[in-house]
Coordinates of all heavy atoms in Angstrom, one line a residue:
M1 N 60.2 -40.4 -16.0 CA 59.0 -39.7 -15.6 C 59.0 -38.2 -16.1 O 58.0 -37.6 -16.2 CB 58.9 -39.7 -14.1 CG 58.5 -41.0 -13.5 SD 58.2 -40.9 -11.7 CE 57.2 -42.3 -11.5
E2 N 60.2 -37.6 -16.3 CA 60.3 -36.3 -16.7 C 59.7 -36.1 -18.1 O 59.0 -35.1 -18.4 CB 61.8 -35.8 -16.8 CG 62.3 -35.5 -15.4 CD 62.9 -36.7 -14.7 OE1 63.0 -37.8 -15.4 OE2 63.4 -36.6 -13.6
Q3 N 59.8 -37.1 -19.0 CA 59.3 -37.0 -20.3 C 57.7 -36.9 -20.3 O 57.1 -36.3 -21.1 CB 59.7 -38.2 -21.2 CG 61.1 -38.1 -21.6 CD 61.5 -39.3 -22.4 OE1 60.9 -40.4 -22.2 NE2 62.5 -39.2 -23.3
E4 N 57.1 -37.6 -19.3 CA 55.7 -37.7 -19.2 C 55.2 -36.5 -18.3 O 54.0 -36.4 -18.1 CB 55.2 -39.0 -18.6 CG 55.4 -40.2 -19.5 CD 56.9 -40.7 -19.6 OE1 57.7 -40.3 -18.7 OE2 57.2 -41.4 -20.5
R5 N 56.1 -35.7 -17.8 CA 55.7 -34.5 -17.0 C 55.0 -35.0 -15.7 O 54.1 -34.4 -15.2 CB 54.9 -33.5 -17.7 CG 55.6 -32.9 -18.9 CD 54.8 -31.9 -19.6 NE 55.4 -31.4 -20.8 CZ 56.2 -30.3 -20.9 NH1 56.3 -29.6 -19.9 NH2 56.7 -30.0 -22.1
I6 N 55.5 -36.1 -15.1 CA 55.0 -36.5 -13.9 C 56.0 -36.0 -12.8 O 57.2 -36.3 -12.8 CB 54.9 -38.1 -13.8 CG1 53.9 -38.6 -14.9 CG2 54.6 -38.6 -12.4 CD1 53.9 -40.1 -15.0
S7 N 55.4 -35.3 -11.8 CA 56.2 -34.7 -10.8 C 56.4 -35.8 -9.7 O 55.4 -36.4 -9.3 CB 55.5 -33.5 -10.2 OG 56.2 -33.0 -9.1
Y8 N 57.6 -35.9 -9.2 CA 57.8 -36.8 -8.1 C 59.0 -36.4 -7.2 O 59.8 -35.6 -7.6 CB 58.2 -38.2 -8.6 CG 59.5 -38.3 -9.3 CD1 60.7 -38.7 -8.6 CD2 59.7 -38.0 -10.6 CE1 61.9 -38.7 -9.2 CE2 60.9 -38.1 -11.3 CZ 62.0 -38.4 -10.5 OH 63.2 -38.5 -11.1
T9 N 58.9 -36.8 -5.9 CA 60.0 -36.6 -5.0 C 60.3 -37.9 -4.3 O 59.4 -38.8 -4.2 CB 59.6 -35.5 -3.9 OG1 58.5 -35.9 -3.2 CG2 59.4 -34.2 -4.6
L10 N 61.5 -38.0 -3.9 CA 61.9 -39.2 -3.1 C 62.0 -38.8 -1.6 O 62.4 -37.7 -1.3 CB 63.3 -39.7 -3.5 CG 63.4 -40.1 -5.0 CD1 64.9 -40.5 -5.3 CD2 62.5 -41.3 -5.3
A11 N 61.6 -39.8 -0.8 CA 61.6 -39.5 0.7 C 62.0 -40.8 1.4 O 62.0 -41.9 0.8 CB 60.2 -39.1 1.1
H12 N 62.4 -40.6 2.6 CA 62.9 -41.7 3.5 C 62.3 -41.5 4.9 O 62.8 -40.6 5.6 CB 64.4 -41.8 3.4 CG 64.9 -42.8 4.3 ND1 64.8 -44.2 4.1 CD2 65.6 -42.7 5.5 CE1 65.4 -44.8 5.1 NE2 65.9 -44.0 5.9
H13 N 61.3 -42.2 5.2 CA 60.6 -42.0 6.6 C 60.8 -43.2 7.5 O 60.7 -43.1 8.7 CB 59.1 -41.7 6.4 CG 58.9 -40.5 5.6 ND1 59.1 -39.2 6.1 CD2 58.4 -40.3 4.4 CE1 58.8 -38.3 5.2 NE2 58.4 -38.9 4.1
R14 N 61.0 -44.4 6.9 CA 61.2 -45.6 7.7 C 62.5 -46.2 7.3 O 62.9 -46.2 6.1 CB 60.1 -46.6 7.5 CG 58.7 -46.1 8.0 CD 57.7 -47.2 8.0 NE 56.9 -47.2 6.8 CZ 55.9 -48.0 6.5 NH1 55.6 -49.0 7.4 NH2 55.3 -48.0 5.4
D15 N 63.2 -46.9 8.2 CA 64.5 -47.4 7.9 C 64.5 -48.4 6.8 O 65.4 -48.5 6.0 CB 65.1 -48.1 9.2 CG 65.5 -47.2 10.2 OD1 65.7 -46.0 9.9 OD2 65.7 -47.6 11.4
E16 N 63.4 -49.2 6.6 CA 63.4 -50.2 5.6 C 62.7 -49.9 4.3 O 62.5 -50.7 3.5 CB 62.7 -51.5 6.2 CG 61.2 -51.3 6.5 CD 60.8 -50.6 7.7 OE1 61.6 -50.1 8.5 OE2 59.6 -50.5 8.0
T17 N 62.4 -48.5 4.1 CA 61.7 -48.2 2.9 C 62.3 -46.9 2.2 O 63.0 -46.1 2.8 CB 60.2 -47.8 3.2 OG1 60.2 -46.6 4.0 CG2 59.5 -48.9 3.9
I18 N 62.0 -46.8 0.9 CA 62.2 -45.6 0.2 C 60.8 -45.2 -0.4 O 60.1 -46.1 -0.9 CB 63.2 -45.8 -1.0 CG1 64.6 -46.2 -0.6 CG2 63.2 -44.6 -1.9 CD1 65.3 -45.1 0.1
M19 N 60.4 -44.0 -0.2 CA 59.1 -43.5 -0.7 C 59.3 -42.7 -1.9 O 60.2 -41.8 -2.0 CB 58.4 -42.7 0.4 CG 57.0 -42.3 0.0 SD 56.2 -41.2 1.2 CE 56.0 -42.4 2.5
V20 N 58.4 -42.9 -2.9 CA 58.3 -42.0 -4.0 C 56.9 -41.3 -3.9 O 55.9 -42.0 -3.9 CB 58.4 -42.8 -5.4 CG1 58.3 -41.8 -6.5 CG2 59.7 -43.5 -5.4
N21 N 56.9 -40.0 -3.8 CA 55.7 -39.2 -3.8 C 55.4 -38.7 -5.3 O 56.3 -38.0 -5.8 CB 55.8 -38.0 -2.9 CG 55.9 -38.4 -1.5 OD1 55.0 -39.1 -0.9 ND2 57.0 -38.1 -0.8
V22 N 54.3 -39.1 -5.8 CA 54.0 -38.8 -7.2 C 52.8 -37.8 -7.3 O 51.8 -38.1 -6.6 CB 53.7 -40.1 -8.0 CG1 53.4 -39.8 -9.5 CG2 54.8 -41.1 -7.9
A23 N 52.9 -36.8 -8.1 CA 51.8 -35.8 -8.3 C 51.5 -35.7 -9.7 O 52.3 -35.5 -10.6 CB 52.3 -34.5 -7.8
V24 N 50.2 -36.1 -10.0 CA 49.7 -35.9 -11.4 C 48.4 -35.1 -11.2 O 47.9 -34.9 -10.1 CB 49.4 -37.2 -12.1 CG1 50.7 -37.9 -12.4 CG2 48.4 -38.1 -11.3
T25 N 47.8 -34.5 -12.2 CA 46.6 -33.7 -12.1 C 45.5 -34.4 -11.4 O 45.1 -35.5 -11.8 CB 46.1 -33.3 -13.5 OG1 47.2 -32.7 -14.2 CG2 44.9 -32.4 -13.5
G26 N 45.1 -33.9 -10.3 CA 44.0 -34.4 -9.5 C 44.3 -35.6 -8.6 O 43.4 -36.1 -7.9
E27 N 45.6 -36.0 -8.6 CA 45.9 -37.2 -7.7 C 47.3 -37.0 -7.1 O 48.2 -36.4 -7.7 CB 45.9 -38.4 -8.6 CG 44.6 -38.8 -9.1 CD 44.6 -40.2 -9.9 OE1 45.6 -40.9 -9.7 OE2 43.6 -40.4 -10.6
R28 N 47.4 -37.6 -6.0 CA 48.7 -37.8 -5.3 C 48.9 -39.2 -4.9 O 48.0 -39.9 -4.5 CB 48.8 -36.9 -4.0 CG 48.6 -35.4 -4.3 CD 49.8 -34.8 -5.0 NE 49.7 -33.4 -5.2 CZ 49.1 -32.8 -6.3 NH1 48.6 -33.6 -7.2 NH2 49.0 -31.5 -6.4
W29 N 50.1 -39.8 -5.2 CA 50.4 -41.2 -4.9 C 51.6 -41.2 -4.0 O 52.6 -40.5 -4.2 CB 50.7 -42.0 -6.1 CG 49.6 -42.1 -7.1 CD1 48.8 -41.1 -7.7 CD2 49.2 -43.3 -7.8 NE1 48.0 -41.6 -8.6 CE2 48.1 -42.9 -8.7 CE3 49.5 -44.6 -7.7 CZ2 47.5 -43.9 -9.4 CZ3 48.9 -45.5 -8.4 CH2 47.9 -45.2 -9.3
K30 N 51.5 -42.1 -2.9 CA 52.6 -42.4 -2.1 C 53.0 -43.9 -2.3 O 52.1 -44.7 -2.0 CB 52.3 -42.1 -0.6 CG 52.1 -40.7 -0.2 CD 51.6 -40.5 1.2 CE 52.2 -41.4 2.2 NZ 51.7 -41.1 3.6
V31 N 54.2 -44.1 -2.8 CA 54.6 -45.5 -3.1 C 55.8 -45.8 -2.3 O 56.8 -45.1 -2.4 CB 54.9 -45.6 -4.6 CG1 55.2 -47.1 -5.0 CG2 53.8 -45.1 -5.5
E32 N 55.7 -46.8 -1.4 CA 56.8 -47.2 -0.6 C 57.4 -48.5 -1.0 O 56.6 -49.5 -1.2 CB 56.4 -47.3 0.9 CG 56.2 -45.9 1.5 CD 56.1 -46.0 3.0 OE1 55.0 -46.3 3.5 OE2 57.1 -45.7 3.7
F33 N 58.7 -48.5 -1.2 CA 59.4 -49.8 -1.6 C 60.2 -50.3 -0.4 O 61.0 -49.5 0.2 CB 60.3 -49.4 -2.8 CG 59.6 -49.0 -4.0 CD1 59.4 -47.6 -4.2 CD2 59.3 -49.9 -5.0 CE1 58.7 -47.2 -5.4 CE2 58.6 -49.5 -6.2 CZ 58.3 -48.1 -6.3
F34 N 59.9 -51.5 -0.1 CA 60.5 -52.1 1.1 C 61.7 -53.0 0.8 O 61.9 -53.4 -0.4 CB 59.5 -53.0 1.8 CG 58.4 -52.3 2.5 CD1 57.3 -51.7 1.8 CD2 58.5 -52.0 3.9 CE1 56.3 -51.0 2.4 CE2 57.4 -51.3 4.5 CZ 56.4 -50.8 3.8
E35 N 62.6 -53.1 1.7 CA 63.8 -54.0 1.6 C 63.5 -55.4 1.0 O 64.2 -55.9 0.2 CB 64.6 -54.1 2.9 CG 65.3 -52.9 3.3 CD 66.0 -53.2 4.7 OE1 65.5 -54.0 5.5 OE2 67.1 -52.6 4.9
D36 N 62.4 -55.9 1.5 CA 62.0 -57.3 1.1 C 61.4 -57.4 -0.3 O 61.0 -58.5 -0.7 CB 61.1 -57.9 2.2 CG 59.7 -57.3 2.2 OD1 59.4 -56.4 1.4 OD2 58.9 -57.7 3.1
G37 N 61.3 -56.3 -1.0 CA 60.8 -56.3 -2.3 C 59.3 -55.9 -2.4 O 58.7 -55.8 -3.5
S38 N 58.6 -55.9 -1.3 CA 57.2 -55.5 -1.3 C 57.0 -54.0 -1.6 O 57.9 -53.2 -1.4 CB 56.5 -56.0 0.0 OG 57.1 -55.3 1.1
V39 N 55.8 -53.7 -2.0 CA 55.5 -52.3 -2.4 C 54.1 -52.0 -1.8 O 53.2 -52.8 -1.9 CB 55.4 -52.1 -3.9 CG1 55.0 -50.7 -4.3 CG2 56.8 -52.5 -4.5
E40 N 54.0 -50.8 -1.2 CA 52.7 -50.3 -0.7 C 52.4 -49.0 -1.5 O 53.2 -48.2 -1.7 CB 52.7 -50.0 0.8 CG 52.8 -51.2 1.6 CD 52.8 -50.8 3.1 OE1 52.8 -49.6 3.5 OE2 52.8 -51.8 3.9
V41 N 51.1 -48.9 -2.0 CA 50.7 -47.7 -2.7 C 49.5 -47.1 -2.0 O 48.5 -47.8 -1.7 CB 50.3 -48.1 -4.2 CG1 49.8 -46.8 -4.9 CG2 51.5 -48.7 -4.9
E42 N 49.6 -45.8 -1.7 CA 48.4 -45.1 -1.1 C 48.1 -44.0 -2.2 O 49.0 -43.2 -2.6 CB 48.8 -44.5 0.2 CG 47.6 -43.9 1.0 CD 48.0 -43.6 2.4 OE1 49.1 -43.6 2.8 OE2 47.0 -43.2 3.1
R43 N 46.9 -43.9 -2.5 CA 46.4 -43.0 -3.6 C 45.4 -42.0 -3.1 O 44.4 -42.4 -2.4 CB 45.8 -43.8 -4.7 CG 45.4 -43.0 -5.9 CD 44.9 -44.0 -7.0 NE 44.2 -43.3 -8.0 CZ 43.4 -43.9 -8.9 NH1 43.2 -45.2 -8.8 NH2 42.8 -43.2 -9.8
F44 N 45.6 -40.7 -3.3 CA 44.7 -39.7 -2.9 C 44.1 -39.0 -4.2 O 44.9 -38.5 -5.0 CB 45.5 -38.6 -2.1 CG 46.1 -39.2 -0.9 CD1 47.4 -39.7 -1.0 CD2 45.5 -39.3 0.3 CE1 48.1 -40.3 0.1 CE2 46.1 -39.9 1.4 CZ 47.4 -40.3 1.3
V45 N 42.8 -39.0 -4.3 CA 42.2 -38.4 -5.5 C 41.4 -37.2 -5.1 O 40.7 -37.2 -4.1 CB 41.2 -39.5 -6.1 CG1 40.5 -38.9 -7.3 CG2 42.0 -40.7 -6.5
S46 N 41.6 -36.1 -5.8 CA 41.0 -34.8 -5.5 C 39.6 -34.8 -6.0 O 39.2 -35.4 -7.0 CB 41.8 -33.7 -6.3 OG 41.1 -32.5 -6.2
S47 N 38.7 -34.1 -5.3 CA 37.3 -33.9 -5.7 C 37.2 -32.8 -6.7 O 36.2 -32.6 -7.3 CB 36.5 -33.5 -4.5 OG 36.9 -32.2 -4.0
G48 N 38.3 -32.1 -6.9 CA 38.3 -31.0 -7.9 C 37.9 -29.6 -7.3 O 38.0 -28.6 -7.9
E49 N 37.5 -29.7 -6.0 CA 37.1 -28.5 -5.3 C 38.3 -27.7 -4.9 O 39.3 -28.2 -4.3 CB 36.3 -28.8 -4.1 CG 35.7 -27.6 -3.3 CD 34.9 -28.1 -2.1 OE1 34.5 -29.2 -2.1 OE2 34.7 -27.2 -1.2
I50 N 38.3 -26.4 -5.2 CA 39.4 -25.5 -4.8 C 38.9 -24.6 -3.6 O 37.8 -24.0 -3.7 CB 39.8 -24.6 -6.0 CG1 40.2 -25.4 -7.2 CG2 41.0 -23.6 -5.5 CD1 41.4 -26.2 -7.0
N51 N 39.7 -24.5 -2.6 CA 39.3 -23.7 -1.4 C 40.3 -22.6 -1.2 O 41.4 -22.6 -1.7 CB 39.3 -24.6 -0.1 CG 38.3 -25.7 -0.2 OD1 37.1 -25.5 -0.2 ND2 38.8 -26.9 -0.4
G52 N 39.8 -21.6 -0.3 CA 40.7 -20.6 0.1 C 41.3 -20.8 1.4 O 41.1 -21.9 2.0
E53 N 42.0 -19.8 2.0 CA 42.7 -20.0 3.2 C 41.7 -20.3 4.4 O 42.2 -20.7 5.5 CB 43.6 -18.8 3.5 CG 42.8 -17.5 3.7 CD 43.7 -16.3 3.8 OE1 44.5 -16.1 2.9 OE2 43.6 -15.6 4.8
E54 N 40.4 -20.0 4.2 CA 39.5 -20.2 5.3 C 39.4 -21.7 5.8 O 39.1 -22.0 6.9 CB 38.1 -19.8 4.9 CG 37.4 -20.6 3.9 CD 37.8 -20.3 2.4 OE1 38.6 -19.3 2.2 OE2 37.3 -20.9 1.5
V55 N 39.9 -22.6 4.9 CA 39.8 -24.0 5.3 C 40.9 -24.4 6.3 O 40.8 -25.5 6.9 CB 39.8 -25.0 4.1 CG1 38.6 -24.8 3.2 CG2 41.1 -24.8 3.3
F56 N 41.9 -23.5 6.5 CA 42.9 -23.8 7.5 C 42.3 -24.0 8.9 O 42.8 -24.8 9.7 CB 44.0 -22.7 7.6 CG 45.0 -22.8 6.5 CD1 45.2 -21.7 5.7 CD2 45.7 -23.9 6.2 CE1 46.2 -21.7 4.6 CE2 46.6 -24.0 5.2 CZ 46.8 -22.9 4.4
S57 N 41.2 -23.3 9.2 CA 40.6 -23.4 10.5 C 40.1 -24.8 10.7 O 40.2 -25.4 11.8 CB 39.5 -22.4 10.7 OG 38.5 -22.6 9.7
E58 N 39.6 -25.5 9.6 CA 39.1 -26.9 9.7 C 40.3 -27.8 10.0 O 40.2 -28.7 10.8 CB 38.5 -27.3 8.4 CG 37.2 -26.6 8.1 CD 36.6 -27.0 6.8 OE1 36.8 -28.2 6.4 OE2 36.0 -26.1 6.1
L59 N 41.4 -27.6 9.3 CA 42.6 -28.4 9.5 C 43.1 -28.3 10.9 O 43.3 -29.3 11.6 CB 43.7 -27.9 8.5 CG 45.1 -28.6 8.7 CD1 45.0 -30.1 8.4 CD2 46.1 -27.8 7.9
F60 N 43.2 -27.1 11.4 CA 43.7 -26.9 12.8 C 42.7 -27.5 13.8 O 43.1 -28.1 14.8 CB 44.0 -25.4 13.1 CG 45.1 -24.9 12.2 CD1 44.9 -23.6 11.7 CD2 46.2 -25.6 11.9 CE1 45.9 -23.0 10.9 CE2 47.2 -25.1 11.1 CZ 47.1 -23.8 10.6
A61 N 41.4 -27.4 13.6 CA 40.4 -27.9 14.5 C 40.6 -29.4 14.5 O 40.5 -30.0 15.6 CB 39.0 -27.5 14.1
M62 N 40.7 -30.1 13.4 CA 40.9 -31.5 13.3 C 42.2 -32.0 14.0 O 42.2 -32.9 14.7 CB 40.8 -32.1 11.9 CG 39.5 -32.0 11.3 SD 39.4 -32.8 9.7 CE 40.7 -32.1 8.8
Y63 N 43.2 -31.3 13.7 CA 44.5 -31.6 14.3 C 44.6 -31.5 15.8 O 45.0 -32.5 16.5 CB 45.6 -30.8 13.7 CG 47.0 -31.0 14.2 CD1 47.7 -32.2 13.9 CD2 47.6 -30.2 15.2 CE1 48.9 -32.5 14.4 CE2 48.8 -30.4 15.7 CZ 49.5 -31.6 15.4 OH 50.7 -31.8 15.9
F64 N 44.1 -30.4 16.3 CA 44.1 -30.3 17.8 C 43.1 -31.1 18.5 O 43.4 -31.6 19.6 CB 43.9 -28.8 18.1 CG 45.1 -28.0 17.8 CD1 45.1 -26.9 16.8 CD2 46.4 -28.2 18.3 CE1 46.2 -26.2 16.5 CE2 47.5 -27.5 18.0 CZ 47.4 -26.5 17.1
R65 N 42.0 -31.4 17.9 CA 41.0 -32.3 18.4 C 41.6 -33.7 18.5 O 41.4 -34.5 19.5 CB 39.7 -32.3 17.6 CG 38.6 -33.2 18.2 CD 37.3 -33.1 17.4 NE 37.4 -32.8 16.1 CZ 36.8 -31.7 15.4 NH1 36.1 -30.9 16.1 NH2 37.0 -31.5 14.2
A66 N 42.3 -34.2 17.5 CA 42.9 -35.5 17.4 C 44.0 -35.7 18.5 O 44.2 -36.8 18.9 CB 43.4 -35.8 16.0
R67 N 44.7 -34.7 18.8 CA 45.8 -34.8 19.8 C 45.3 -34.8 21.2 O 46.1 -35.2 22.1 CB 46.7 -33.6 19.6 CG 47.4 -33.8 18.2 CD 48.5 -32.8 18.1 NE 49.5 -33.1 19.2 CZ 50.7 -32.5 19.3 NH1 51.0 -31.6 18.4 NH2 51.5 -32.8 20.3
K68 N 44.1 -34.4 21.5 CA 43.6 -34.4 22.9 C 43.2 -35.7 23.4 O 42.9 -36.6 22.8 CB 42.5 -33.4 23.0 CG 43.0 -32.0 22.8 CD 41.8 -31.0 23.0 CE 42.3 -29.6 22.8 NZ 41.3 -28.6 22.9

């Protein structure tokens, strides 16, 4: 992946999986590999819109609303 300049990190959130977080221009992928050989892929595609710090208020509003 280094030759192709694909950024990735390894993570471990569930006992039975290893996660690879992949970042390419305009996309983020979460790929989970399970003990049983199955694979789950979640893909996030950017709209290309760049925001400033003012959007943090939206994030916090959604987070705190969801927890109530």
